[in-house]
Amino acid sequence: MEKEIWKKPLRQCSVGGEALIEGVMMRNGNKIATAVRKSNGEIVVEITEHEPLAKRFFLFRLPVIRGA
C-alpha cells in the first residue's frame, strides 16, 4: 500500500528563505534575492551574489569555530 504522500520527490529543492519586514529573502546556492514592498505599494526585487565565509576561509569550516 504505497500512498502518494510517502513517495520521494523527483528532484531536490535547495531554496531557503526567511521573512523580512514587508518582504521576503530567498537564498539558493550563491545567490540571494530580496523582495520588499515600499510604502507606495511598489515591490522592489534585488538579486545579489554571495559567497559564504566557509567557502572563502578554511578556518570557518571547522566545527568548533562555527559553533562559537
Side-chain angles (χ1 to χ4, degrees), residues 6-64:
W6 300 115
K7 291 183 179 178
K8 291 185 177 182
L10 297 177
R11 54 191 154 142
Q12 185 176 356
C13 179
S14 62
V15 176
E18 63 183 65
L20 302 173
I21 297 175
E22 294 290 327
V24 66
M25 186 270 306
M26 301 295 288
R27 180 174 170 189
N28 181 15
N30 63 343
K31 293 194 181 201
I32 295 178
T34 308
V36 236
R37 185 184 309 269
K38 294 172 75 173
S39 59
N40 64 0
E42 179 186 359
I43 297 177
V44 179
V45 178
E46 180 181 317
I47 300 172
T48 57
E49 294 282 331
H50 173 72
E51 188 175 3
L53 287 175
K55 286 191 176 184
R56 286 188 273 172
F57 304 107
F58 173 76
L59 190 63
F60 287 111
R61 291 183 212 155
L62 300 175
V64 176

